[in-house]
Amino acid sequence: MASITVPGGLAEGEIRKLERPKLRIADYLRWSVDHKIIGVQYMVTALFFFIIGGTLAMMIRWELLTPNLDVVQTGSQFNTLFSVHALVMIFLWIIPMFAGFGNFLVPLMLGAKDMAFPWLNAFAFWLIPPAGLLLLGSMLVGAPEGGWTMYPPLSTIYSGDGQTLAALAAHLLGISSILGAINFIVTIKNMRPEGMGWWQMPLFCWAILATSIIVVMATPFLAGALTLLILDRVGGTSFFDATKGGDPQLWQNVFWFYSHPAVYIMVLPGMGILSEVLSIHARKPIFGYKMIALSSLGIAIIGFTVWAHHMFTSLAPQLRIPFMITSMIIAVPTGIKIFSWLGTLWGGKIRLNSAMLFGLGFLSMFVIGGISGVMLAAVPFDIHVHDTYFVVSHLHFVLFGGSVFTIYAGIYHWYPKITGRMLNERWGKVHFWLTYPAFFFTFFPMHIAGMLGMPRRVAIYLPEFQGINTIISISGFVLGISTFVLLINMIVSLRNGKIAGANPWRALTLEWATTSPPPATNFVDDPVPFVDPYGYGSQGSQEYLDAVDRRFGVGEEVFTPRPAPTPAPSGD
Amino acid sequence: MTQHVLEQKLTRQEQQALRNRRTGLAIFQLSWIMTFVCLIIVNFTMRGGSPTWPPEGVTVGKIIPTLMTLALIGSSVFIRRGTKALKADNIAGFTTNWRYGLALGGLFAVVMAIEFIRAPGSGQFLNVYRLMIGFHHVHAMAIGYYLIRVYQNGRRGVYSATDFWPVEGGTSLWDFVTVAWVLFYVVLYII
């Protein structure tokens, strides 16, 4: 049985109310080196850009309600819409949102007072708002029409000055990511508390570590590629101009060497969130802890060997099979995770709250995205559906059904810790039951449209595709509206939500062993982690959790688990 | 007194901060070297698309770049020796070695700037040649400027055997400049 030590190092049974920080909105609008404030700054900024990117998505779907031009006047305007939509969603919504979770949670989960480099942390965040303005401003000074992939010559000869601004914005965001990732790696490597070895670290931290390794190794390639692109646009060079001896495929190779791993940058932190949410709300030890942790690293490594599957139609034929094989192999560590999560749920005392619902939503939708990914890894199939709506469907199943669903799960799970208030559960469930079917009927029919031959990135399409596009657009509008249920819930709950208490979910990871929201220094003394962050169901964990409750008090809404289940084998 | 023993005199927080800085800088170097690797890939790609490399009629002089590469390596050696001297509380050794190191580094920067301006050839060859030298030069100038500031501070006695991070960090960054250049030198002039 685990030895019981009261978190915070105080004598067991001692109850001491920590003073809750009195933060004002102004504190979040200025430079701060507190990782919690920076985390919230990341999240709120990302949510702002999510609304912008979502609005652009609604305009795209409105345009595609009919086969002819309606909302936009020219194809160029449509190109701009989907280009900026994608860049915003990837670089200003998903990546910064996960950076926000990481910033807020990693030091708390490790029992640290802050990140390793607080100033650098703030600097990394403050690169984002100007980059966002540059990107949005790009629409005003000449359309960026290269899509988020920015393939030359679309991004060189056929785009306006806005493309240069978009490339500069991506440059800034890449630098921000690298600085943030260095901070995460150093914090995780050097600042774990006594008693927390690598194998006692929460899986969210493992996921952030794997993500950060990808960022520091891959993002410099994006920086290199963008430098060349900007030089081609404004410096008189012709690296990508085939008429002057340049090579457009050079961009594709270098870009995808970053951007395929970037897909895992956008998914791995979500997988970390899911590991926390599923275990805590199923009240069961995580199944296969080590395999989940190592598979994150496996994905990070194999992710560097698959980039050319994005170029099957232009790749030298002899290279297709090797990249097909590596692309299929990467499904193995992902499959390990999926089965481990299913093993975690199996026999658990599942509480179907909003966080868990979105976690389960991820499991079902991400598997569809994963399977369509394996289909696309097969060269013959990929050539058939290349640049069709099948690809659009696949990437949205991965990035919305995967990343965004876990972001939602994370918001419902950690909002109480961040704000000290609970989100309204009823509205959380309304949010889920609007989002889940709307998401499915927005993106699943795109598989069919793609296989029937509807190309992506077109504003005008054959009339025979109108029926399916109507279903997609209407579902898309519902999906867009559903987001506001969450946003309103978040705003209203800030004032009216029930008091959360320190540990409303009775979770074992260290971020719950302090007040909600945590004080400026996170913990009063050096916190003592429980021996197993997922050791639910044991006598020791009950005593540890009771000690947390006695010390910090409980909120208005307390999750009282049913009698502890017999612990299932952890799979290690 | 050995450096290890001196570092034991630091408080727990100072030791933690030093460890974090060392790890962070190492990761940054590992990360940022990938931009140089990216440009090497660009070089090889352009080379692959050209019948001859360098193009016919273009001659790339190797003597001056080789001498400058040796100068840069020598610069790194002096800078490192100076840093070692500082950690042994030998301020005079620090300033002398850094003076030589900065002089050699400055020589490299000036001569390679001239090489950039007088780069041979045209078209993609010239583009890639200038891109690599220029990209490296930006790093050499920025980090070189930082080293000069550190040297000035060091002469004023700001650093000591227990307060040396800007010196150690600058040394690592200058090593980075040297390693990155040696990679480029091999690609541009040897293979």
Side-chain angles (χ1 to χ4, degrees):
Chain A
M1 190 184 82
S3 60
I4 305 304
T5 309
V6 178
L10 300 178
E12 187 173 358
E14 182 176 352
I15 300 172
R16 190 167 76 185
K17 294 272 184 187
L18 296 173
E19 190 180 344
R20 288 176 54 186
K22 293 182 176 59
L23 290 168
R24 297 161 302 163
I25 288 177
D27 294 318
Y28 293 93
L29 298 175
R30 63 167 76 112
W31 178 278
S32 168
V33 294
D34 183 331
H35 73 97
K36 299 180 292 299
I37 290 179
I38 294 170
V40 173
Q41 286 173 328
Y42 265 109
M43 290 190 222
V44 173
T45 307
L47 282 165
F48 169 76
F49 284 111
F50 183 36
I51 294 169
I52 303 239
T55 304
L56 294 172
M58 295 302 105
M59 291 172 73
I60 291 168
R61 287 318 316 174
W62 188 5
E63 173 55 56
L64 293 172
L65 265 174
T66 70
N68 303 311
L69 293 181
D70 305 305
V71 178
V72 297
Q73 305 302 311
T74 65
S76 278
Q77 290 174 350
F78 188 76
N79 290 347
T80 305
L81 277 184
F82 71 71
S83 298
V84 178
H85 158 73
L87 287 165
V88 165
M89 289 302 204
I90 289 169
F91 289 112
L92 291 166
W93 157 234
I94 295 177
I95 292 178
M97 192 66 188
F98 281 137
F101 277 113
N103 266 290
F104 193 95
L105 294 170
V106 166
L108 285 168
M109 286 180 162
L110 298 180
K113 288 184 169 58
D114 208 319
M115 297 282 281
F117 306 113
W119 190 91
L120 196 67
N121 202 19
F123 181 71
F125 165 73
W126 283 102
L127 287 175
I128 291 177
L133 290 177
L134 269 180
L135 185 54
L136 297 182
S138 72
M139 289 192 288
L140 306 175
V141 298
E145 296 187 49
W148 86 278
T149 52
M150 296 190 242
Y151 277 12
L154 284 176
S155 57
T156 49
I157 300 170
Y158 298 109
S159 284
D161 291 339
Q163 189 70 59
T164 308
L165 294 190
L168 281 171
H171 228 324
L172 281 179
L173 293 165
I175 291 167
S176 166
S177 286
I178 291 172
L179 298 178
I182 290 171
N183 222 340
F184 281 130
I185 295 174
V186 177
T187 304
I188 290 169
K189 179 182 172 295
N190 289 350
M191 297 178 72
R192 280 175 285 117
E194 279 184 36
M196 186 187 285
W198 286 102
W199 301 117
Q200 283 83 42
M201 197 165 72
L203 285 165
F204 179 73
C205 295
W206 272 105
I208 290 290
L209 177 66
T211 305
S212 300
I213 290 171
I214 300 174
V215 169
V216 296
M217 298 307 288
T219 311
F221 270 79
L222 179 69
L226 287 168
T227 303
L228 300 187
L229 183 69
I230 293 167
L231 283 173
D232 266 16
R233 289 191 56 83
V234 301
T237 59
S238 52
F239 294 110
F240 306 123
D241 187 348
T243 64
K244 295 176 182 168
D247 184 356
Q249 273 205 324
L250 170 64
W251 169 268
Q252 296 181 24
N253 274 301
V254 178
F255 175 82
W256 283 116
F257 190 78
Y258 159 76
S259 292
H260 193 83
V263 173
Y264 303 109
I265 292 171
M266 289 183 274
V267 168
L268 279 173
M271 292 174 162
I273 288 173
L274 194 73
S275 296
E276 305 297 328
V277 167
L278 292 188
S279 177
I280 289 168
H281 296 288
R283 309 308 299 169
K284 251 192 75 185
I286 195 90
F287 184 90
Y289 170 93
K290 284 186 180 172
M291 292 310 291
I292 293 178
L294 293 174
S295 62
S296 293
L297 296 180
I299 289 171
I301 294 165
I302 301 171
F304 283 101
T305 66
V306 304
W307 80 91
H309 72 218
H310 294 274
M311 303 154 57
F312 275 153
T313 53
S314 55
L315 195 65
Q318 66 271 22
L319 293 176
R320 286 175 176 167
I321 299 301
F323 279 103
M324 182 174 93
I325 291 169
T326 55
S327 301
M328 289 189 170
I329 285 174
I330 205 163
V332 174
T334 311
I336 287 171
K337 284 182 186 292
I338 298 286
F339 285 111
S340 295
W341 291 322
L342 292 176
T344 303
L345 292 171
W346 186 262
K349 302 291 183 189
I350 296 172
R351 183 178 155 95
L352 284 175
N353 55 19
S354 307
M356 183 57 127
L357 284 172
F358 276 106
L360 297 175
F362 166 94
L363 271 180
S364 52
M365 294 298 121
F366 186 77
V367 165
I368 293 175
I371 289 172
S372 62
V374 175
M375 293 165 76
L376 285 167
V379 176
F381 186 82
D382 181 85
I383 288 173
H384 176 68
V385 297
H386 181 77
D387 262 348
T388 70
Y389 259 80
F390 191 93
V391 179
V392 179
S393 175
H394 161 69
L395 74 92
H396 282 92
F397 265 89
V398 172
L399 294 183
F400 200 121
S403 308
V404 179
F405 272 38
T406 56
I407 287 171
Y408 287 162
I411 289 173
Y412 285 104
H413 185 70
W414 281 296
Y415 184 92
K417 178 54 60 182
I418 296 169
T419 65
R421 301 269 180 176
M422 304 296 290
L423 278 170
N424 185 296
E425 260 303 310
R426 184 189 300 261
W427 284 108
K429 285 174 179 159
V430 169
H431 175 218
F432 175 78
W433 287 114
L434 276 174
T435 302
Y436 189 77
F439 166 80
F440 185 83
F441 285 107
T442 301
F443 295 109
F444 195 82
M446 289 183 185
H447 288 121
I448 299 162
M451 284 195 285
L452 290 174
M454 179 163 167
R456 67 194 289 204
R457 296 175 169 174
V458 292
I460 299 170
Y461 55 84
L462 292 175
E464 65 209 57
F465 293 123
Q466 184 168 9
I468 205 161
N469 272 290
T470 305
I471 295 170
I472 292 170
S473 287
I474 291 172
S475 304
F477 298 147
V478 176
L479 186 60
I481 291 165
S482 73
T483 309
F484 288 93
V485 178
L486 170 68
L487 295 175
I488 292 168
N489 193 356
M490 288 173 74
I491 293 166
V492 172
S493 297
L494 266 181
R495 183 175 290 274
N496 298 334
K498 292 178 180 171
I499 300 292
N503 191 5
W505 311 124
R506 286 178 66 79
L508 287 168
T509 42
L510 272 179
E511 79 272 26
W512 301 102
T514 186
T515 56
S516 302
T521 53
N522 292 349
F523 305 92
V524 174
D525 306 303
D526 290 340
V528 179
F530 186 63
V531 67
D532 176 0
Y534 305 103
Y536 299 104
S538 68
Q539 183 65 27
S541 69
Q542 289 295 326
E543 291 175 19
Y544 182 91
L545 292 169
D546 289 344
V548 173
D549 283 349
R550 280 198 302 277
R551 182 173 180 217
F552 297 106
V554 294
E556 292 177 41
E557 188 175 71
V558 182
F559 167 39
T560 311
R562 286 173 278 177
T566 307
S570 69
D572 292 334
Chain B
M1 195 179 290
T2 65
Q3 183 57 32
H4 178 73
V5 174
L6 283 170
E7 286 180 17
Q8 295 297 317
K9 287 186 172 180
L10 302 175
T11 64
R12 187 180 159 203
Q13 281 83 2
E14 286 169 339
Q15 286 183 21
Q16 174 81 69
L18 185 61
R19 203 154 60 101
N20 287 349
R21 285 167 176 163
R22 284 175 172 161
T23 313
L25 188 58
I27 295 168
F28 171 75
Q29 290 172 324
L30 188 67
S31 171
W32 202 242
I33 201 73
M34 299 306 279
T35 54
F36 291 80
V37 173
C38 176
L39 298 193
I40 289 172
I41 290 171
V42 171
N43 182 299
F44 286 146
T45 306
M46 292 302 173
R47 224 181 253 230
S50 173
T52 56
W53 195 270
E56 280 189 34
V58 176
T59 309
V60 182
K62 294 182 181 174
I63 295 173
I64 292 176
T66 304
L67 289 175
M68 288 307 104
T69 304
L70 291 174
L72 186 61
I73 293 170
S75 163
S76 251
V77 170
F78 277 115
I79 295 283
R80 191 152 277 283
R81 282 179 57 179
T83 304
K84 199 174 171 186
L86 176 78
K87 289 183 178 179
D89 248 348
N90 176 4
I91 303 295
F94 161 73
T95 51
T96 305
N97 279 292
W98 269 54
R99 197 181 307 130
Y100 293 143
L102 288 174
L104 284 173
L107 178 68
F108 169 85
V110 170
V111 174
M112 291 316 292
I114 295 168
E115 280 289 301
F116 177 90
I117 294 164
R118 295 172 52 192
S122 60
Q124 291 305 337
F125 178 81
L126 183 64
N127 280 345
V128 174
Y129 191 81
R130 280 194 167 151
L131 174 73
M132 292 176 76
I133 293 182
F135 189 74
H136 181 268
H137 206 71
V138 169
H139 290 78
M141 294 299 285
I143 295 169
Y145 174 73
Y146 174 73
L147 290 191
I148 290 169
R149 296 298 305 271
V150 170
Y151 169 72
Q152 289 169 338
N153 287 339
R155 279 181 60 185
R156 288 202 303 271
V158 171
Y159 309 117
S160 67
T162 52
D163 181 10
F164 51 79
W165 171 249
V167 178
E168 182 182 313
T171 305
S172 289
L173 288 170
W174 195 246
D175 286 346
F176 176 84
V177 167
T178 304
V179 170
W181 174 254
V182 170
L183 288 175
F184 273 14
Y185 171 76
V186 170
V187 173
L188 287 172
Y189 301 105
I190 304 295
I191 55 175

